[in-house]
Amino acid sequence: MAHNPITLDLLKALDAIDRRGSFAAAAQALHKVPSALTYTIQKVEQDLNLSLFDRSGHRAKLTPAGKLILDQGRMVLREIDSLANSAKKLASGWEAKITIAIDTLLDTTSIFPLVEKFNKDHSFVRVNLTRGSLSGTWEQLLNQKADLIFAFAVSKNHPLAQDLDTVTDEVIEQHPVIIIPDSTQMLTPLTVGWTRSSRVIAVSNMEEKIAAQKSGLGVGYLPFHRIEQELKSGELVALNMMETHKDKLVMAWRKGNTGPALQWFLDNFTPTDLGLPANPA
């Protein structure tokens, strides 16, 4: 690989000259003699066979090539400063990355504001957001607890939506049920909601399940907090069931593995960050 004369010393020199307005003031800020700064610039100009400064006027001005190196170089200088700070924090115990696994019952986008808040102060930590369903989410681990309420909902055009009386098991079994299979590969698969029907249509995630039930393709339980707007608009109708369904949404983390980044989320997380009510029923 050919020698690259663009060094951090050069980038710092160009930055100081541009900010201070002269070679002399820049040299003073960098604790150098002006001749050393001039030599640094001239050596790079010679090696690259181009001019970084236009010296035809009373005061030297950056050429387009010099301005390009300065503009791009400032980004490099910022990254270098950030890298040093990140290395110090990682050396003090901060995690290089943190993975947050969110069950498909929940809306992943709800947690984006919390992740953004974390990233503003701790951008050196890589945040991975993954999805899972039922036991598959346990395999990835979460934290804390909140109640999760399900509503047995169908499309407004579904035959069951016309039944104003309490819906029985026998009536439900006449219609296909939309399910999300457990994504676990190691644990015993779990089932949530209506599972007694032999007519099953499996989808990949909660977004597809909601869409399938809105289209009238089938029936099934849906998390109430995910379909509040559809229930208000009438796109989905909550049936009066003989059997109600309520589960605990569990959030957990590996014991003895609480680094500063994970602790930040534990300290700052609330149920509302996942679209759940602040005081679940």
Side-chain angles (χ1 to χ4, degrees):
M1 182 177 180
H3 169 66
N4 188 341
I6 299 178
T7 63
L8 290 179
D9 282 342
L10 171 68
L11 300 180
K12 290 177 181 178
L14 292 177
D15 180 63
I17 293 169
D18 184 66
R19 293 182 188 279
R20 302 286 176 167
S22 70
F23 276 64
Q28 184 177 10
L30 295 172
H31 306 291
K32 295 178 179 291
V33 296
S35 59
L37 195 61
T38 299
Y39 175 77
T40 297
I41 300 298
Q42 291 178 341
K43 182 66 168 62
V44 173
E45 290 179 321
Q46 180 182 346
D47 290 346
L48 292 177
N49 193 28
L50 55 78
S51 296
L52 298 178
F53 287 91
D54 179 356
R55 299 173 176 83
S56 62
H58 175 69
R59 174 180 293 181
K61 295 182 179 180
L62 283 167
T63 63
K67 192 172 188 313
L68 172 66
I69 293 176
L70 173 61
D71 291 342
Q72 297 292 322
R74 279 175 171 162
M75 290 190 289
V76 173
L77 292 175
R78 285 194 294 269
E79 288 297 323
I80 290 295
D81 289 340
S82 176
L83 178 60
N85 183 53
S86 299
K88 289 179 181 178
K89 290 191 174 183
L90 289 176
S92 67
W94 280 83
E95 305 94 308
K97 66 178 180 179
I98 181 171
T99 299
I100 302 174
I102 303 173
D103 196 280
T104 190
L105 295 168
L106 302 170
D107 181 5
T108 307
T109 60
S110 299
I111 204 173
F112 287 173
L114 184 66
V115 174
E116 181 181 19
K117 180 181 177 182
F118 174 83
N119 187 255
K120 284 181 178 179
D121 295 327
H122 312 291
S123 59
F124 60 94
V125 178
R126 176 175 176 173
V127 179
N128 297 328
L129 298 179
T130 64
R131 302 300 299 271
S133 60
L134 303 176
S135 294
T137 312
W138 271 104
E139 292 177 354
Q140 301 176 62
L141 294 182
L142 294 175
N143 57 37
Q144 294 186 337
K145 296 181 179 180
D147 285 322
L148 183 64
I149 302 173
F150 292 85
F152 197 93
V154 297
S155 166
K156 63 181 180 180
N157 298 318
H158 194 278
L160 289 179
Q162 317 307 317
D163 194 337
L164 300 181
D165 296 324
T166 300
V167 179
T168 65
D169 297 353
E170 290 75 16
V171 172
I172 294 174
E173 289 173 355
Q174 298 173 22
H175 303 276
V177 174
I178 308 298
I179 69 163
I180 304 172
D182 195 317
S183 64
T184 183
Q185 296 182 3
M186 296 181 297
L187 303 178
T188 302
L190 296 176
T191 57
V192 171
W194 191 265
T195 60
R196 292 195 284 272
S197 175
S198 59
R199 301 174 63 189
V200 171
I201 299 174
V203 295
S204 300
N205 52 54
M206 185 54 62
E207 289 77 11
E208 293 180 4
K209 179 172 167 62
I210 293 174
Q213 292 186 212
K214 283 171 61 176
S215 72
L217 185 61
V219 301
Y221 281 103
L222 295 171
F224 182 79
H225 75 282
R226 293 289 301 272
I227 59 169
E228 285 186 272
Q229 293 304 315
E230 287 83 356
L231 292 173
K232 288 179 181 178
S233 68
E235 289 182 275
L236 287 173
V237 177
L239 302 183
N240 183 19
M241 298 286 295
M242 293 186 64
E243 175 185 305
T244 59
H245 188 77
K246 181 177 178 180
D247 273 339
K248 278 285 188 180
L249 174 64
V250 179
M251 307 184 76
W253 63 98
R254 288 190 295 273
K255 187 176 180 180
N257 195 39
T258 311
L262 175 56
Q263 189 61 53
W264 187 97
F265 279 97
L266 296 180
D267 293 339
N268 289 274
F269 175 82
T270 65
T272 55
D273 292 315
L274 286 175
L276 296 169
N279 297 301

